[in-house]
Amino acid sequence: MARAGLTTERLVRAGAELADEVGFEQVTVSALARRFDVKAASLYSHLKNSQDLKTRIALLALEELADRAADALAGRAGRDALTAFANVYRDYAREHPGRYAAARLRLDPETAAVSAGGRHAQMTRAILRGYDLPEPDQTHAVRLLGGVFHGYVSLELAGGFAHSAPDSQETWTWILDRLDTMLRTWPPTG
């Protein structure tokens, strides 16, 4: 019998908070049970195992990120949209490092197909339509933006830019300016 007050949603949210506190890789059903001061077995009526918990946290993170990005993009185009979108990812990673890591979890194809991951791709393509990129350049640009945003944010979270000038915010702005210029001037000449 399920313990009163414990629901799958409550457990997933608590798991997401735990991920932000101790790191996504450290999240397990046992660690979550300790948080609620219950035996791990009492959580198995809500969760299959630790992988199920991690998948559900990933889905929550993807949904939260997509909602934030959609709000940030409303009414924006071009560089403003690019900057708003990039800042959503960076800000979310800083506020929720464990959830951000969860959003990178490789999902099985069926789960990925029904996740908010598709919304992320659609929003990225919507931004790029403002730059009038043809295919396959648009697909390459989606991957470029994802790689740049994730790479920079991951290095920044790991403290990679903490010991040198200029400030990482200045570099972030510089990168977004250069991405905008590159996308506006595609295809390159010469």
Side-chain angles (χ1 to χ4, degrees):
M1 178 142 171
R3 184 173 173 103
L6 292 182
T7 65
T8 304
E9 181 179 349
R10 185 171 177 215
L11 292 171
V12 171
R13 292 207 171 272
E17 291 169 9
L18 183 62
D20 288 338
E21 294 166 14
V22 301
F24 182 61
E25 291 303 317
Q26 304 307 313
V27 174
T28 63
V29 171
S30 296
L32 190 58
R34 285 190 296 276
R35 188 177 197 99
F36 284 97
D37 196 28
V38 298
K39 294 193 183 308
S42 66
L43 303 186
Y44 288 116
S45 61
H46 302 286
L47 303 164
K48 293 177 192 169
N49 51 38
S50 291
Q51 187 59 40
D52 180 40
L53 173 60
K54 286 184 175 187
T55 298
R56 289 173 185 270
I57 294 168
L59 293 172
L60 172 67
L62 287 168
E63 191 71 36
E64 288 176 344
L65 264 169
D67 290 346
R68 286 187 182 197
D71 288 346
L73 288 175
R76 296 178 190 262
R79 189 192 188 293
D80 287 343
L82 177 69
T83 299
F85 191 68
N87 286 337
V88 163
Y89 281 87
R90 186 174 181 224
D91 293 345
Y92 188 82
R94 290 167 148 184
E95 293 169 33
H96 301 291
R99 293 179 206 204
Y100 181 77
R104 301 286 163 256
L105 181 69
R106 185 177 185 152
L107 301 172
D108 65 73
E110 296 80 26
T111 304
V114 298
S115 76
R119 288 177 57 203
H120 294 270
Q122 290 171 348
M123 286 184 276
T124 306
R125 287 186 180 278
I127 292 166
L128 292 172
R129 277 194 294 278
Y131 290 100
D132 200 29
L133 293 174
E135 280 297 351
D137 293 341
Q138 192 178 102
T139 297
H140 296 318
V142 167
R143 294 172 180 169
L144 171 70
L145 294 179
V148 170
F149 299 162
H150 177 64
Y152 192 88
V153 166
S154 296
L155 289 168
E156 186 177 44
L157 287 175
F161 308 131
H163 2 255
S164 63
D167 177 78
S168 66
Q169 178 59 45
E170 183 178 334
T171 302
W172 180 250
T173 302
W174 184 90
I175 288 169
L176 296 177
D177 286 342
R178 295 320 171 273
L179 285 171
D180 174 65
T181 299
M182 180 199 69
L183 293 169
R184 276 188 293 106
T185 59
W186 194 263
T189 56

